[in-house]
Each structure stands twice: as structure tokens, then as C-alpha cells.
Amino acid sequence: MSIQIYQDTNTLANLKNNIGKKAKLEDEKHAHNKSITSKSKRVPLASISNVQGSRVQPNRAAKEKLKPFQSISDNKFASDVQKWSSSIQIHDTKSVLYKENIYNESSTFDTLKESPMVFSPFVSDDSCKKYSAINSIQDIDAKLHGVFELPEYAQDIHNYLKKSEAKYRPKINYMRKQTDINSSMRAILVDWLVEVSEEYKLIPQTLYLSVSYIDRFLSHMSVLRGKLQLVGAACMLVAAKFEEIYPPEVAEFVYITDDTYTAKQVLRMEHLILKTLAFDLSVPTCRDFLSRYLYAANAKPESQQKYLAEYLSELTLINCEISVKYPPSMIAASSICSANHILNLMPWTPTLEFYSGYNINDLKSCLHDIHLLHQAASTNPQQAIQQKYKSPRFGCVSSIAPLEMPCI
């Protein structure tokens, strides 16, 4: 028995057509899904053109920004980078970058500066040593503690503070707009705050911040004399909360005002001060610059040079005209220069000029005012600072008589 298979040509043709249509539909569906995906879904970390599949890592994104710089001279750029990476010392770069303002001299370095993924360009170690040798510049950052004093960022922090001090300075003539208080009342308030800081053993920065908050607050608000002590107490409360590990409580400030104000009044004034200052509490003070400039002056940790500079700097807090007229960095530099002159040391050195950014001519006016303030310190009605620095803990520097002002 034989089985015969008959092939239906029409059935095979229909089957082929169905398969072809199905494949075509699958292709069209796949193409449609692909187009939708490419339009709606962005590739993470893609380039500007958003080319699909071109995933760019952060370091590669930074390299893309360097392409215009490399086009200047690829060979020279490669050799310079190799030279810098092999011989650079971080603490040596600040002298040329800070002194010569290299970013403004070359547009190629502006390309590097604008990139958020690339460090600032380094200069060669030889050029930095050459500059330091000519000007007798000492590297003070090498003396800093590697963990707590941040030698790698010390110069950048100082540059930022110098830019910020102009932003947060009080108005120079703000006392003229006060109708019920004057500079003498402010001096009495600051003198009282010095006693409070000594009573509660607060760090010096708390005192400097308190005075800064007072001047900035009085620049915007008119205060009655009956509320001036409340302003001072609230400002010190804010500064202590910002700086101290264990700040005094509100009840302590009520107590030291002899219950003149209630805790509710202190807290309300604190709220008003924070609102007026727009919560800008981390502001540069003279103390921030003084500590760095003392390193540049080779001042020992417990020396008359250090304590006398701190004493002169703190004296300026009493005088409204000096503390408001000059920026904190200039007051710090002038205090060290005056202290060096009184102790028969070199008043101003190339290292001090380099790290402070001031030459001796820039300090003329401030030096003159500090000298007059030092001469009148013994006859000043406010004696809290003089008594503070008369103790052996500060080397009895307030007992040192001022010298004649040298002709600069």
C-alpha cells in the first residue's frame, strides 16, 4: 500500500505570505519601539548631543572639556603635565598662583578653571622655588598640622575669607543714623561683653563674632539705649551657640543682666537678630586672619609677640571707628606690625606681605590709628581688655608701654 502526498501550491503560497507579513509586522513594531525609546529615554551621563549608547563617565566628561586646551599644543601639554605631576609640591603652588594671578594672564587656564572636574593648574616646583628665593618667602603651611589645620587648603581658605570680609562688613557710618545710642554706649557694651567672655571662659572667636553681629545688626536696626544690653546679650548667645561646645544657657544671660530682661525677651531678640542677619553667621573676623599672619611672623605659641598682637587687635573692638572703618584682615596685619615694632622686631617682612596681601604703605592709616589707641589705653574708661591682658596668662603685655610711631 503506497501513500501519496499531494502538495497544494496555493496553501504553500498562503503560508509563505503569512510568515512574511508576520515578520514584517514584527520588524515594524521593533522599529517603532526603538524610535519611542530613543526619543523618551535619555542615556545617563550622556554627552551634549545625547547620542544613544554613549555613556560618558565623569572623568571622561572632564577630559572632553580639555580638548580645546589640548589643541593648542598637544605635545607641549603632555610634556608639561608629566613634568608637573612628577615634581609638584602642593604647598609651593600658592606663591605664583596667588601673587601673579595666573588665571587672568592666560585664556588657556580659564578653560581649566571653568571645569568643575579638574583641579587648578599647577606650576613647576623650580619656578616657585626661584620666586621664594628672590623674595625670601617662607613656607608657613609646612608648619601647620596635617589634620586639623588643613595645610593643603589654608591659602585657598584665606583667599576666600578676604573676599568674604567685604560682603559682611557693617556700614561705616551706621552710628550717625542711631538716634538714641552713640559710640560711647557701644564701647561700654563691648567692655561688658569682654568681662562676660572671661567669666564664662568663652573662646576669643566668640567675642569677635558677638561684636560683628552687634555692628551688623545696628547697621540695619535703630535701637533704644534701654535695649542695647539686650542686643549684646542676644548676639553673644548666638555667637556662643555657633562657636562653643557648651554655650551658656539663656538663663545665664538673664542672670548676668541682673534680671533686667526675661528669657522670653532674650529669645525674641535672638530671633530678630537672626532674621536681620539673614542667618549669615559664619563671617570673617580679625581673629581668623590673626592666627594665620602670626604663623607668617614666626610668632611662638606662647610669646609676647603673639599676646601683644592679640591685645592690640582686641583693643580695636572697643573703638567703633577703627573696627568698622578697616577690614578685619587689615586690622590683624596692622596689629602684628605694631607689635613687632614695639618689641624691636622686624615690623614687616616679605613673608608677611606675601601671605597677607598688604605692603607697608597699605597699612599706614590703620597703623596710625592703632598706635593712638594703644597710647590712650591706660586712660580709657573701659579697662576690661587691659585687665585681661595684664595677667601672666597673657604675658602681662598690656603693661608694655607704647613706642613712638616710626615714620613709614
Side-chain angles (χ1 to χ4, degrees):
M1 182 177 178
S2 63
I3 300 175
Q4 294 182 356
I5 300 176
Y6 297 93
Q7 186 174 4
D8 190 349
T9 57
N10 294 330
T11 303
L12 290 175
N14 292 334
L15 183 60
K16 290 181 180 180
N17 290 335
N18 292 335
I19 294 174
K21 289 179 180 180
K22 186 176 181 180
K24 186 177 181 181
L25 290 173
E26 291 291 336
D27 293 340
E28 290 178 354
K29 183 178 180 181
H30 178 69
H32 178 67
N33 293 336
K34 184 177 180 181
S35 63
I36 292 177
T37 304
S38 62
K39 290 180 181 179
S40 61
K41 186 177 180 180
R42 294 170 62 90
V43 178
L45 296 175
S47 61
I48 297 175
S49 60
N50 289 324
V51 178
Q52 187 172 359
S54 59
R55 181 179 176 86
V56 182
Q57 299 297 331
N59 59 342
R60 295 187 180 180
K63 290 180 181 179
E64 289 294 327
K65 291 191 176 184
L66 287 176
K67 283 187 177 180
F69 180 75
Q70 293 176 352
S71 62
I72 298 174
S73 177
D74 291 340
N75 295 331
K76 186 177 183 301
F77 176 79
S79 61
D80 289 343
V81 169
Q82 185 177 5
K83 180 181 178 181
W84 293 338
S85 61
S86 60
S87 63
I88 196 64
Q89 294 181 5
I90 293 178
H91 62 266
D92 286 336
T93 63
K94 57 186 172 299
S95 59
V96 178
L97 295 181
Y98 179 76
K99 190 73 176 179
E100 299 180 0
N101 197 8
I102 198 169
Y103 293 130
N104 296 333
E105 295 180 359
S106 175
S107 60
T108 58
F109 286 111
D110 289 336
T111 306
L112 279 171
K113 183 183 177 183
E114 294 173 359
S115 174
M117 304 303 298
V118 182
F119 290 106
S120 300
F122 293 126
V123 294
S124 64
D125 186 44
D126 295 336
S127 62
C128 195
K129 287 182 178 179
K130 180 180 179 181
Y131 182 83
S132 299
I134 295 174
N135 295 276
S136 303
I137 306 298
Q138 298 179 8
D139 183 14
I140 67 173
D141 291 333
K143 307 175 185 178
L144 299 180
H145 193 281
V147 176
F148 299 105
E149 294 175 326
L150 305 175
E152 296 87 354
Y153 309 105
Q155 187 62 42
D156 292 331
I157 293 172
H158 173 263
N159 296 343
Y160 171 76
L161 291 176
K162 286 200 72 172
K163 292 179 181 179
S164 300
E165 66 178 349
K167 179 181 178 182
Y168 298 109
R169 285 181 63 188
K171 297 178 182 178
I172 296 179
N173 298 321
Y174 79 83
M175 194 58 73
R176 296 179 183 177
K177 299 182 180 180
Q178 294 289 337
T179 58
D180 203 39
I181 61 174
N182 53 37
S183 299
S184 298
M185 297 177 185
R186 177 194 173 276
I188 295 173
L189 174 64
V190 175
D191 189 75
W192 175 72
L193 290 177
V194 173
E195 294 179 350
V196 173
S197 65
E198 284 295 293
E199 178 68 23
Y200 289 100
K201 295 180 174 56
L202 305 179
I203 62 175
Q205 179 68 350
T206 302
L207 175 64
Y208 280 90
L209 277 180
S210 302
V211 178
S212 176
Y213 296 162
I214 291 171
D215 290 330
R216 290 170 58 201
F217 180 77
L218 296 179
S219 297
H220 297 89
M221 300 291 291
S222 182
V223 177
L224 298 175
R225 64 181 66 186
K227 301 294 183 183
L228 184 59
Q229 189 179 18
L230 178 61
V231 172
C235 285
M236 179 157 278
L237 174 62
V238 174
K241 287 181 179 180
F242 187 78
E243 285 288 341
E244 302 290 337
I245 299 176
Y246 301 106
E249 298 180 359
V250 179
E252 297 290 340
F253 287 96
V254 174
Y255 172 76
I256 60 177
T257 59
D258 198 18
D259 294 326
T260 306
Y261 312 102
T262 64
K264 189 174 183 180
Q265 287 178 306
V266 175
L267 293 176
R268 282 183 177 178
M269 181 57 70
E270 178 190 29
H271 178 269
L272 180 59
I273 290 171
L274 291 173
K275 186 177 180 180
T276 304
L277 301 183
F279 287 84
D280 290 326
L281 304 179
S282 181
V283 297
T285 66
C286 187
R287 192 75 184 189
D288 295 317
F289 299 100
L290 194 65
S291 58
R292 180 160 180 80
Y293 297 165
L294 285 171
Y295 275 115
N298 282 327
K300 303 299 180 183
E302 296 181 359
S303 62
Q304 282 192 327
Q305 182 184 11
K306 174 180 179 293
Y307 293 140
L308 184 56
E310 292 176 353
Y311 169 62
L312 296 175
S313 173
E314 204 162 310
L315 276 179
T316 61
L317 296 177
I318 299 289
N319 192 296
C320 180
E321 295 180 359
I322 296 179
S323 62
V324 175
K325 180 180 178 181
Y326 302 104
S329 59
M330 183 175 288
I331 294 176
S334 301
S335 299
I336 293 177
C337 182
S338 182
N340 289 341
H341 169 66
I342 294 172
L343 297 175
N344 294 321
L345 302 173
M346 179 71 70
W348 204 241
T349 63
T351 304
L352 277 167
E353 179 180 344
F354 175 76
Y355 285 101
S356 66
Y358 296 111
N359 57 48
I360 195 66
N361 293 323
D362 298 331
L363 306 177
K364 277 185 178 180
S365 178
C366 189
L367 280 171
H368 181 263
D369 290 343
I370 290 179
H371 175 69
L372 296 179
L373 185 65
H374 189 204
Q375 283 185 327
S378 59
T379 60
N380 197 314
Q382 286 74 42
Q383 291 290 315
I385 297 176
Q386 290 85 329
Q387 292 297 325
K388 173 183 174 181
Y389 283 90
K390 193 175 288 186
S391 66
R393 182 163 61 102
F394 295 104
C396 305
V397 293
S398 62
S399 302
I400 300 176
L403 300 181
E404 291 296 328
M405 187 67 184
C407 296
I408 299 177

